[in-house]
Amino acid sequence: MTIECCNLTTVSACIAIVLGIYYWYRRPRKFPPGPRGFPLIGILPFLDAYPERILAKWKNQYGSIMSARFGRQDWIVLNDFEAIQQTLVREGESFSGRPNIPVFQDINAGHGLVMVDYGKKWKLQRKFGLMTLRGFGMGKKGMEVRVLEEAAYMNEEIRKQNGRPFTINHILSNTISNVICGVVFGRRFEYNDPWFTGLLQELDKWYGDPKTNTLFGLLSFVPWLQYVPPASGMMKELRKGEVFILGEFEKEVKQHKSTFQNNDIRDFIDAFLEEMNKEKETFTTPQLLHYIRDLFEAGTETTTSTLRWALLCLIHYPETQAKLFKEILSVVGENGRPSMSMKDNMPYTSAFIHEVQRFRTLVPFSVPHCTSKDVDVAGFSIPKGTTVVPNIWAVHNDLNLWDEPEKFKPERHLDADGNFVKSNYIIPFSVGPRYCLGEQLAKIELFLFLTSMVQNFEFLSEDDNLPEIEKGCNSAVFTPLTYKIVAKER
């Protein structure tokens, strides 16, 4: 009897193992091929600090549109430009959803804009955002004036360093955030303002700290890790910071409500309050608070980090800094004021910025997408609710598109006559219906802030000790490691 029981137990265990293996390795019919990895954790053990590079290599084995199991879910990875065009652009309506990733949902609770699913609410909020930001000068002369005014404050803060080595992170984040503050709150803040600096410090925890950045990436792939120490403790601290951030924004909203006048719309908050009086279903206070957070997070971190990468490139490749300064001097002048109208006459500056965005891809996987319905594309069938990640890094480093993509070469974006040639294959703001809302503002900021800095300062390394440029803090955003810089006034 005992032997029979043991045999039965063994057979049952074997059947359970076989069924488990079958369940783990099965995929939907006509689903893109790709690795499954190990139970519960999927392909995580095969990835390193730069998963976008590993997945780009797997294109040779699995194809441009491949699948990979992250945790317990199959995600689709788009590994070249044509795959991204096929899905996010030509089938944009089907690929513009947002996946239910717990770490994101825990933060935004279905509000804001960046992680809100594709549908009526998102369309209303997106349309409102575009119209309102344009109304306050986004992409127009008014925004250019605002950016140039802030550039003067930025240069003064750099000048205060008196040629000593310093970390420029906070100066840049204060600078970029003040542009957002002008749009959202209707005013700027001094760089030493306690409220302003405290807010930026909390926002910086999401992407500025390497440990938090790594954790954020892991939780995106394997959400259940948030319940396991030390991740659980770090998530508790991040949630605490989130409560603080939203609480501070709520104080601003209350102050705006107390002074609101229909005939005097001063800023983004006022414009939203005006809509709240018309449509109360999607225009709510929680939606406004998370919308403000999205504008600050997306509008500050991305441009700040791009400028930090640009400064690293200036230091590592001094010949590019010399060419940049020469062009600025010839077009803007020694004491002139740069403007967007000068951009067409500054091809090398445009090529430099273009190459920085390619060379150090800031958001390697963009923001995760999700299929809003069952869809057939490129011979594959992808079910509704499947997470889709465009590998922007793979496009920016595709050997079929770029000669020696690992090298920084602004000249690759100039023709034989020295004219700037914009490449459609450089897509830092993504493509399709969910391209970045702040693209135009970011372009203005990058051109004017960079031009203004190089016009006024020569940037050097500390004691000729070049800071790291190949490695960075990599997760949702690829940010430079902290470094010190010397700004020598011209």
PDB file of all heavy atoms in Angstrom, residues 152-173:
ATOM      1  N   ALA A 152      19.425  83.182 -18.360  1.00  0.00           N
ATOM      2  CA  ALA A 152      20.230  84.208 -17.697  1.00  0.00           C
ATOM      3  C   ALA A 152      20.440  83.857 -16.227  1.00  0.00           C
ATOM      4  O   ALA A 152      21.554  84.001 -15.687  1.00  0.00           O
ATOM      5  CB  ALA A 152      19.552  85.569 -17.827  1.00  0.00           C
ATOM      6  N   TYR A 153      19.388  83.379 -15.566  1.00  0.00           N
ATOM      7  CA  TYR A 153      19.521  82.940 -14.171  1.00  0.00           C
ATOM      8  C   TYR A 153      20.456  81.729 -14.077  1.00  0.00           C
ATOM      9  O   TYR A 153      21.280  81.633 -13.158  1.00  0.00           O
ATOM     10  CB  TYR A 153      18.148  82.579 -13.594  1.00  0.00           C
ATOM     11  CG  TYR A 153      17.236  83.754 -13.351  1.00  0.00           C
ATOM     12  CD1 TYR A 153      16.161  84.000 -14.200  1.00  0.00           C
ATOM     13  CD2 TYR A 153      17.431  84.604 -12.270  1.00  0.00           C
ATOM     14  CE1 TYR A 153      15.303  85.072 -13.976  1.00  0.00           C
ATOM     15  CE2 TYR A 153      16.575  85.685 -12.034  1.00  0.00           C
ATOM     16  CZ  TYR A 153      15.513  85.909 -12.896  1.00  0.00           C
ATOM     17  OH  TYR A 153      14.670  86.973 -12.662  1.00  0.00           O
ATOM     18  N   MET A 154      20.322  80.805 -15.004  1.00  0.00           N
ATOM     19  CA  MET A 154      21.174  79.616 -15.018  1.00  0.00           C
ATOM     20  C   MET A 154      22.646  79.992 -15.153  1.00  0.00           C
ATOM     21  O   MET A 154      23.499  79.503 -14.403  1.00  0.00           O
ATOM     22  CB  MET A 154      20.766  78.712 -16.178  1.00  0.00           C
ATOM     23  CG  MET A 154      21.683  77.524 -16.414  1.00  0.00           C
ATOM     24  SD  MET A 154      21.324  76.665 -17.976  1.00  0.00           S
ATOM     25  CE  MET A 154      21.860  77.919 -19.178  1.00  0.00           C
ATOM     26  N   ASN A 155      22.951  80.871 -16.099  1.00  0.00           N
ATOM     27  CA  ASN A 155      24.339  81.269 -16.309  1.00  0.00           C
ATOM     28  C   ASN A 155      24.915  81.979 -15.089  1.00  0.00           C
ATOM     29  O   ASN A 155      26.103  81.837 -14.779  1.00  0.00           O
ATOM     30  CB  ASN A 155      24.451  82.164 -17.543  1.00  0.00           C
ATOM     31  CG  ASN A 155      24.248  81.398 -18.833  1.00  0.00           C
ATOM     32  OD1 ASN A 155      24.543  80.205 -18.909  1.00  0.00           O
ATOM     33  ND2 ASN A 155      23.736  82.065 -19.859  1.00  0.00           N
ATOM     34  N   GLU A 156      24.071  82.727 -14.403  1.00  0.00           N
ATOM     35  CA  GLU A 156      24.541  83.419 -13.196  1.00  0.00           C
ATOM     36  C   GLU A 156      24.888  82.411 -12.105  1.00  0.00           C
ATOM     37  O   GLU A 156      25.874  82.572 -11.377  1.00  0.00           O
ATOM     38  CB  GLU A 156      23.468  84.390 -12.699  1.00  0.00           C
ATOM     39  CG  GLU A 156      23.890  85.227 -11.497  1.00  0.00           C
ATOM     40  CD  GLU A 156      25.160  86.034 -11.745  1.00  0.00           C
ATOM     41  OE1 GLU A 156      25.389  86.462 -12.892  1.00  0.00           O
ATOM     42  OE2 GLU A 156      25.949  86.219 -10.785  1.00  0.00           O
ATOM     43  N   GLU A 157      24.084  81.350 -11.975  1.00  0.00           N
ATOM     44  CA  GLU A 157      24.384  80.306 -10.995  1.00  0.00           C
ATOM     45  C   GLU A 157      25.687  79.588 -11.342  1.00  0.00           C
ATOM     46  O   GLU A 157      26.488  79.261 -10.457  1.00  0.00           O
ATOM     47  CB  GLU A 157      23.231  79.297 -10.944  1.00  0.00           C
ATOM     48  CG  GLU A 157      21.964  79.814 -10.300  1.00  0.00           C
ATOM     49  CD  GLU A 157      22.158  80.198  -8.834  1.00  0.00           C
ATOM     50  OE1 GLU A 157      22.764  79.394  -8.087  1.00  0.00           O
ATOM     51  OE2 GLU A 157      21.719  81.295  -8.454  1.00  0.00           O
ATOM     52  N   ILE A 158      25.909  79.338 -12.623  1.00  0.00           N
ATOM     53  CA  ILE A 158      27.170  78.709 -13.049  1.00  0.00           C
ATOM     54  C   ILE A 158      28.342  79.641 -12.777  1.00  0.00           C
ATOM     55  O   ILE A 158      29.408  79.215 -12.316  1.00  0.00           O
ATOM     56  CB  ILE A 158      27.105  78.348 -14.553  1.00  0.00           C
ATOM     57  CG1 ILE A 158      26.022  77.297 -14.802  1.00  0.00           C
ATOM     58  CG2 ILE A 158      28.458  77.836 -15.049  1.00  0.00           C
ATOM     59  CD1 ILE A 158      25.780  76.972 -16.263  1.00  0.00           C
ATOM     60  N   ARG A 159      28.133  80.914 -13.031  1.00  0.00           N
ATOM     61  CA  ARG A 159      29.191  81.916 -12.822  1.00  0.00           C
ATOM     62  C   ARG A 159      29.595  81.986 -11.341  1.00  0.00           C
ATOM     63  O   ARG A 159      30.767  82.243 -11.015  1.00  0.00           O
ATOM     64  CB  ARG A 159      28.688  83.270 -13.316  1.00  0.00           C
ATOM     65  CG  ARG A 159      29.777  84.288 -13.628  1.00  0.00           C
ATOM     66  CD  ARG A 159      29.205  85.487 -14.372  1.00  0.00           C
ATOM     67  NE  ARG A 159      28.984  85.174 -15.790  1.00  0.00           N
ATOM     68  CZ  ARG A 159      27.794  85.142 -16.366  1.00  0.00           C
ATOM     69  NH1 ARG A 159      26.698  85.391 -15.652  1.00  0.00           N
ATOM     70  NH2 ARG A 159      27.689  84.860 -17.645  1.00  0.00           N
ATOM     71  N   LYS A 160      28.653  81.756 -10.448  1.00  0.00           N
ATOM     72  CA  LYS A 160      28.927  81.807  -9.011  1.00  0.00           C
ATOM     73  C   LYS A 160      29.922  80.727  -8.572  1.00  0.00           C
ATOM     74  O   LYS A 160      30.485  80.812  -7.473  1.00  0.00           O
ATOM     75  CB  LYS A 160      27.630  81.638  -8.212  1.00  0.00           C
ATOM     76  CG  LYS A 160      26.703  82.840  -8.262  1.00  0.00           C
ATOM     77  CD  LYS A 160      25.421  82.559  -7.480  1.00  0.00           C
ATOM     78  CE  LYS A 160      24.446  83.714  -7.556  1.00  0.00           C
ATOM     79  NZ  LYS A 160      23.173  83.410  -6.830  1.00  0.00           N
ATOM     80  N   GLN A 161      30.147  79.713  -9.401  1.00  0.00           N
ATOM     81  CA  GLN A 161      31.082  78.641  -9.038  1.00  0.00           C
ATOM     82  C   GLN A 161      32.534  79.100  -9.165  1.00  0.00           C
ATOM     83  O   GLN A 161      33.448  78.410  -8.695  1.00  0.00           O
ATOM     84  CB  GLN A 161      30.840  77.405  -9.916  1.00  0.00           C
ATOM     85  CG  GLN A 161      29.384  76.967  -9.972  1.00  0.00           C
ATOM     86  CD  GLN A 161      28.767  76.738  -8.602  1.00  0.00           C
ATOM     87  OE1 GLN A 161      29.370  76.126  -7.721  1.00  0.00           O
ATOM     88  NE2 GLN A 161      27.550  77.253  -8.411  1.00  0.00           N
ATOM     89  N   ASN A 162      32.747  80.247  -9.818  1.00  0.00           N
ATOM     90  CA  ASN A 162      34.086  80.866  -9.909  1.00  0.00           C
ATOM     91  C   ASN A 162      35.158  79.911 -10.435  1.00  0.00           C
ATOM     92  O   ASN A 162      36.298  79.913  -9.955  1.00  0.00           O
ATOM     93  CB  ASN A 162      34.512  81.404  -8.540  1.00  0.00           C
ATOM     94  CG  ASN A 162      33.639  82.560  -8.085  1.00  0.00           C
ATOM     95  OD1 ASN A 162      33.304  83.447  -8.876  1.00  0.00           O
ATOM     96  ND2 ASN A 162      33.242  82.536  -6.820  1.00  0.00           N
ATOM     97  N   GLY A 163      34.800  79.089 -11.401  1.00  0.00           N
ATOM     98  CA  GLY A 163      35.788  78.215 -12.022  1.00  0.00           C
ATOM     99  C   GLY A 163      36.185  77.015 -11.195  1.00  0.00           C
ATOM    100  O   GLY A 163      37.099  76.272 -11.586  1.00  0.00           O
ATOM    101  N   ARG A 164      35.491  76.798 -10.060  1.00  0.00           N
ATOM    102  CA  ARG A 164      35.790  75.628  -9.228  1.00  0.00           C
ATOM    103  C   ARG A 164      34.983  74.427  -9.718  1.00  0.00           C
ATOM    104  O   ARG A 164      33.901  74.593 -10.279  1.00  0.00           O
ATOM    105  CB  ARG A 164      35.448  75.920  -7.765  1.00  0.00           C
ATOM    106  CG  ARG A 164      36.269  77.036  -7.131  1.00  0.00           C
ATOM    107  CD  ARG A 164      35.963  77.126  -5.634  1.00  0.00           C
ATOM    108  NE  ARG A 164      34.565  77.442  -5.406  1.00  0.00           N
ATOM    109  CZ  ARG A 164      34.084  78.689  -5.260  1.00  0.00           C
ATOM    110  NH1 ARG A 164      34.916  79.727  -5.324  1.00  0.00           N
ATOM    111  NH2 ARG A 164      32.790  78.886  -5.055  1.00  0.00           N
ATOM    112  N   PRO A 165      35.466  73.203  -9.482  1.00  0.00           N
ATOM    113  CA  PRO A 165      34.694  72.019  -9.868  1.00  0.00           C
ATOM    114  C   PRO A 165      33.358  71.986  -9.113  1.00  0.00           C
ATOM    115  O   PRO A 165      33.300  72.254  -7.918  1.00  0.00           O
ATOM    116  CB  PRO A 165      35.596  70.855  -9.443  1.00  0.00           C
ATOM    117  CG  PRO A 165      36.973  71.438  -9.393  1.00  0.00           C
ATOM    118  CD  PRO A 165      36.792  72.848  -8.936  1.00  0.00           C
ATOM    119  N   PHE A 166      32.299  71.652  -9.810  1.00  0.00           N
ATOM    120  CA  PHE A 166      30.981  71.591  -9.177  1.00  0.00           C
ATOM    121  C   PHE A 166      30.100  70.595  -9.917  1.00  0.00           C
ATOM    122  O   PHE A 166      30.382  70.195 -11.049  1.00  0.00           O
ATOM    123  CB  PHE A 166      30.319  72.972  -9.174  1.00  0.00           C
ATOM    124  CG  PHE A 166      29.885  73.459 -10.540  1.00  0.00           C
ATOM    125  CD1 PHE A 166      28.550  73.446 -10.910  1.00  0.00           C
ATOM    126  CD2 PHE A 166      30.812  73.944 -11.460  1.00  0.00           C
ATOM    127  CE1 PHE A 166      28.152  73.891 -12.158  1.00  0.00           C
ATOM    128  CE2 PHE A 166      30.427  74.386 -12.714  1.00  0.00           C
ATOM    129  CZ  PHE A 166      29.091  74.365 -13.068  1.00  0.00           C
ATOM    130  N   THR A 167      29.045  70.183  -9.244  1.00  0.00           N
ATOM    131  CA  THR A 167      28.051  69.291  -9.843  1.00  0.00           C
ATOM    132  C   THR A 167      26.906  70.141 -10.370  1.00  0.00           C
ATOM    133  O   THR A 167      26.315  70.913  -9.614  1.00  0.00           O
ATOM    134  CB  THR A 167      27.529  68.287  -8.803  1.00  0.00           C
ATOM    135  OG1 THR A 167      28.627  67.539  -8.282  1.00  0.00           O
ATOM    136  CG2 THR A 167      26.526  67.334  -9.428  1.00  0.00           C
ATOM    137  N   ILE A 168      26.595  69.988 -11.641  1.00  0.00           N
ATOM    138  CA  ILE A 168      25.642  70.899 -12.283  1.00  0.00           C
ATOM    139  C   ILE A 168      24.201  70.390 -12.234  1.00  0.00           C
ATOM    140  O   ILE A 168      23.266  71.091 -12.638  1.00  0.00           O
ATOM    141  CB  ILE A 168      26.056  71.150 -13.751  1.00  0.00           C
ATOM    142  CG1 ILE A 168      25.418  72.442 -14.274  1.00  0.00           C
ATOM    143  CG2 ILE A 168      25.727  69.934 -14.628  1.00  0.00           C
ATOM    144  CD1 ILE A 168      25.978  72.921 -15.593  1.00  0.00           C
ATOM    145  N   ASN A 169      23.997  69.183 -11.704  1.00  0.00           N
ATOM    146  CA  ASN A 169      22.665  68.563 -11.716  1.00  0.00           C
ATOM    147  C   ASN A 169      21.563  69.485 -11.242  1.00  0.00           C
ATOM    148  O   ASN A 169      20.552  69.687 -11.925  1.00  0.00           O
ATOM    149  CB  ASN A 169      22.653  67.313 -10.824  1.00  0.00           C
ATOM    150  CG  ASN A 169      23.641  66.266 -11.263  1.00  0.00           C
ATOM    151  OD1 ASN A 169      24.677  66.576 -11.833  1.00  0.00           O
ATOM    152  ND2 ASN A 169      23.333  65.013 -10.990  1.00  0.00           N
ATOM    153  N   HIS A 170      21.741  70.051 -10.046  1.00  0.00           N
ATOM    154  CA  HIS A 170      20.658  70.816  -9.442  1.00  0.00           C
ATOM    155  C   HIS A 170      20.440  72.156 -10.139  1.00  0.00           C
ATOM    156  O   HIS A 170      19.300  72.636 -10.207  1.00  0.00           O
ATOM    157  CB  HIS A 170      20.912  71.013  -7.948  1.00  0.00           C
ATOM    158  CG  HIS A 170      20.882  69.730  -7.169  1.00  0.00           C
ATOM    159  ND1 HIS A 170      19.786  68.904  -7.148  1.00  0.00           N
ATOM    160  CD2 HIS A 170      21.825  69.110  -6.410  1.00  0.00           C
ATOM    161  CE1 HIS A 170      20.038  67.839  -6.407  1.00  0.00           C
ATOM    162  NE2 HIS A 170      21.273  67.940  -5.951  1.00  0.00           N
ATOM    163  N   ILE A 171      21.502  72.743 -10.650  1.00  0.00           N
ATOM    164  CA  ILE A 171      21.326  73.986 -11.404  1.00  0.00           C
ATOM    165  C   ILE A 171      20.460  73.727 -12.629  1.00  0.00           C
ATOM    166  O   ILE A 171      19.523  74.475 -12.922  1.00  0.00           O
ATOM    167  CB  ILE A 171      22.691  74.571 -11.812  1.00  0.00           C
ATOM    168  CG1 ILE A 171      23.463  75.059 -10.589  1.00  0.00           C
ATOM    169  CG2 ILE A 171      22.509  75.728 -12.813  1.00  0.00           C
ATOM    170  CD1 ILE A 171      24.845  75.584 -10.899  1.00  0.00           C
ATOM    171  N   LEU A 172      20.764  72.649 -13.345  1.00  0.00           N
ATOM    172  CA  LEU A 172      19.994  72.335 -14.548  1.00  0.00           C
ATOM    173  C   LEU A 172      18.552  71.953 -14.225  1.00  0.00           C
ATOM    174  O   LEU A 172      17.615  72.389 -14.902  1.00  0.00           O
ATOM    175  CB  LEU A 172      20.670  71.206 -15.326  1.00  0.00           C
ATOM    176  CG  LEU A 172      21.993  71.547 -16.015  1.00  0.00           C
ATOM    177  CD1 LEU A 172      22.555  70.324 -16.726  1.00  0.00           C
ATOM    178  CD2 LEU A 172      21.826  72.693 -17.010  1.00  0.00           C
ATOM    179  N   SER A 173      18.359  71.130 -13.194  1.00  0.00           N
ATOM    180  CA  SER A 173      16.986  70.726 -12.854  1.00  0.00           C
ATOM    181  C   SER A 173      16.171  71.923 -12.373  1.00  0.00           C
ATOM    182  O   SER A 173      14.979  72.047 -12.703  1.00  0.00           O
ATOM    183  CB  SER A 173      16.984  69.615 -11.798  1.00  0.00           C
ATOM    184  OG  SER A 173      17.572  70.046 -10.597  1.00  0.00           O
TER     185      SER A 173
END
